[in-house]
Amino acid sequence: MKLNKKAIVMFLTGALAIASAFPGMATQTTNNAAAGSVQPAAQAVETWNPSVSAMNVICAPSGIMMMSDGTMVITDTYNKVVWRTKDRESTVIAGKLSAVDMYGQPIGGYNDSTLTESYFKKPWAVTKYLNGIAVSDSENNVIRYIGNDGIETAVGNGTAGFRNGHGMDTAFNNPTGLATDPYGNLYVADTNNNAIRRVTKYGDVKTYIDNITEPTGLFWKGDILYVAASGSHQILKVKDGVIVETIGTGTEGDVIGAAAQAQFSFPQGVTVADDGSIYVSDTGNSAIKKIANGTVTTLLMCDYAKMDMYPITPQGLAVYGDKLYVCDNFAKKVIILNR
């Protein structure tokens, strides 16, 4: 996966400003459109860092799962742990802080053990699975399972490859997005294999659909699997392993309006509200977009004139009530929008 030139330039010019800012300061602000862009439609925006209330450390949120009571489960690709957050109070529920590299960043690892003694390498996405939680450990090329007693590998042998089968006698290559259906099946965006794999509740792995260019974000709603196809710059609706609708032309760009003519840039996240509205992390455009009634609109776009810039690399999304929660991995924030 990659980002467009605009985002890369913004990374280089904005990284120092972001790194110097205290990562957890909650602010209340009103969105302004970036120069030359269409005015985004989002209302008030709140940002916060899930780790500040617990450890006051940098947190790079990637994936998010919302529980029925408003509790959030958030993966952290910086500290290589998984957080639980409720009412801005956060605790690490899985993973152990590891040794750091020469730059002071945790290096992570890979071992299955208790909740406090296991290591992740890059926990990317999170979803409910069986009686616990599934986490895609993308750099270890496995799916981990968080249960009451500890963490174990659900599927994947830890080596990049492609193999269907059962349990750890299977192989993935950079698994990212996750989703579950009402029947207990887990869907995995096997990004570098350009496929989506289905894992049954018994641990059997099969290919659900292939020939999708770099799938990342996944979300199940009704009988449809929604896919952020990052490599083809599109949002796909998949039913019974067949694409039934494609949103976006497939050409990288930033075009809103009619869904069939819309353009995205490396979208990495997707979620769907009960009213059918689709929300997209348009990662390469540093934007959050909404698809409703056949029309794509921009909810929020990074304002390059601001020192405190966001969203930069939006990824995981979750809807709870009238709010949309967005994990911005590079800006190290969770952004909350009035949808």
Side-chain angles (χ1 to χ4, degrees):
M1 293 179 288
K2 57 183 179 180
L3 300 176
N4 64 10
K5 293 180 180 179
K6 179 175 71 176
I8 294 173
V9 171
M10 182 275 297
F11 283 168
L12 297 177
T13 58
L16 182 59
I18 292 170
S20 63
F22 183 67
M25 290 296 291
T27 60
Q28 199 75 16
T29 183
T30 301
N31 178 68
N32 295 309
S37 70
V38 176
Q39 175 68 43
Q43 297 88 357
V45 176
E46 180 184 351
T47 70
W48 58 285
N49 186 291
S51 67
V52 170
S53 64
M55 300 171 63
N56 198 19
V57 297
I58 292 173
C59 171
S62 175
I64 182 170
M65 178 183 70
M66 189 71 67
M67 310 294 284
S68 60
D69 65 350
T71 298
M72 289 171 278
V73 179
I74 298 172
T75 57
D76 176 359
T77 62
Y78 183 87
N79 293 296
K80 330 294 187 189
V81 298
V82 180
W83 297 86
R84 176 188 285 122
T85 299
K86 179 69 181 298
D87 299 327
R88 303 299 187 273
E89 293 296 324
S90 302
T91 56
V92 174
I93 61 167
K96 182 179 181 179
L97 295 179
S98 70
V100 299
D101 60 19
M102 61 184 296
Y103 302 103
Q105 180 170 338
I107 60 176
Y110 179 24
N111 77 303
D112 291 333
S113 184
T114 64
L115 295 174
T116 58
E117 294 297 323
S118 297
Y119 290 102
F120 295 90
K121 189 67 174 178
K122 190 176 183 180
W124 204 94
V126 59
T127 191
K128 297 177 184 176
Y129 180 53
L130 304 179
N131 295 318
I133 297 170
V135 176
S136 54
D137 195 355
S138 60
E139 289 191 3
N140 282 324
N141 296 299
V142 296
I143 307 302
R144 313 286 289 281
Y145 178 77
I146 303 174
N148 291 330
D149 298 326
I151 301 171
E152 60 183 299
T153 299
V155 289
N157 60 18
T159 301
F162 186 94
R163 181 188 299 169
N164 288 321
H166 180 80
M168 295 179 67
D169 189 28
T170 59
F172 300 83
N173 192 345
N174 189 31
T176 55
L178 299 174
T180 47
D181 67 20
Y183 314 107
N185 297 307
L186 174 69
Y187 297 84
V188 180
D190 194 1
T191 305
N192 289 355
N193 280 323
N194 298 314
I196 296 170
R197 318 282 288 282
R198 180 167 61 188
V199 184
T200 71
K201 59 185 177 181
Y202 305 108
D204 297 316
V205 178
K206 292 185 178 180
T207 301
Y208 182 66
I209 185 172
D210 56 10
N211 295 319
I212 295 179
T213 308
E214 292 182 348
T216 49
L218 301 181
F219 191 81
W220 184 278
K221 190 71 171 179
D223 57 355
I224 299 293
L225 180 67
Y226 293 79
V227 181
S230 185
S232 65
H233 318 289
Q234 294 171 313
I235 303 301
L236 310 176
K237 295 183 181 180
V238 180
K239 182 177 181 180
D240 298 327
V242 177
I243 298 172
V244 295
E245 185 178 348
T246 299
I247 302 171
T249 65
T251 300
E252 182 186 6
D254 185 14
V255 176
I256 59 176
Q261 283 75 51
Q263 293 182 352
F264 305 93
S265 177
F266 301 99
Q268 292 188 14
V270 62
T271 194
V272 184
D274 287 341
D275 64 3
S277 298
I278 305 169
Y279 297 92
V280 178
S281 287
D282 193 4
T283 310
N285 283 320
S286 299
I288 309 300
K289 293 184 176 176
K290 178 180 179 178
I291 306 167
N293 301 316
T295 301
V296 179
T297 56
T298 299
L299 287 182
L300 185 67
M301 178 175 285
C302 185
D303 186 344
Y304 296 96
K306 289 185 176 181
M307 291 296 290
D308 189 18
M309 294 181 292
Y310 58 85
I312 300 178
T313 58
Q315 291 181 344
L317 300 166
V319 169
Y320 186 73
D322 62 352
K323 305 293 184 184
L324 176 67
Y325 294 76
V326 183
C327 291
D328 189 340
N329 190 253
F330 189 85
K332 299 177 176 61
K333 299 177 184 291
V334 174
I335 303 166
I336 307 172
L337 304 181
N338 295 318
R339 27 181 222 101

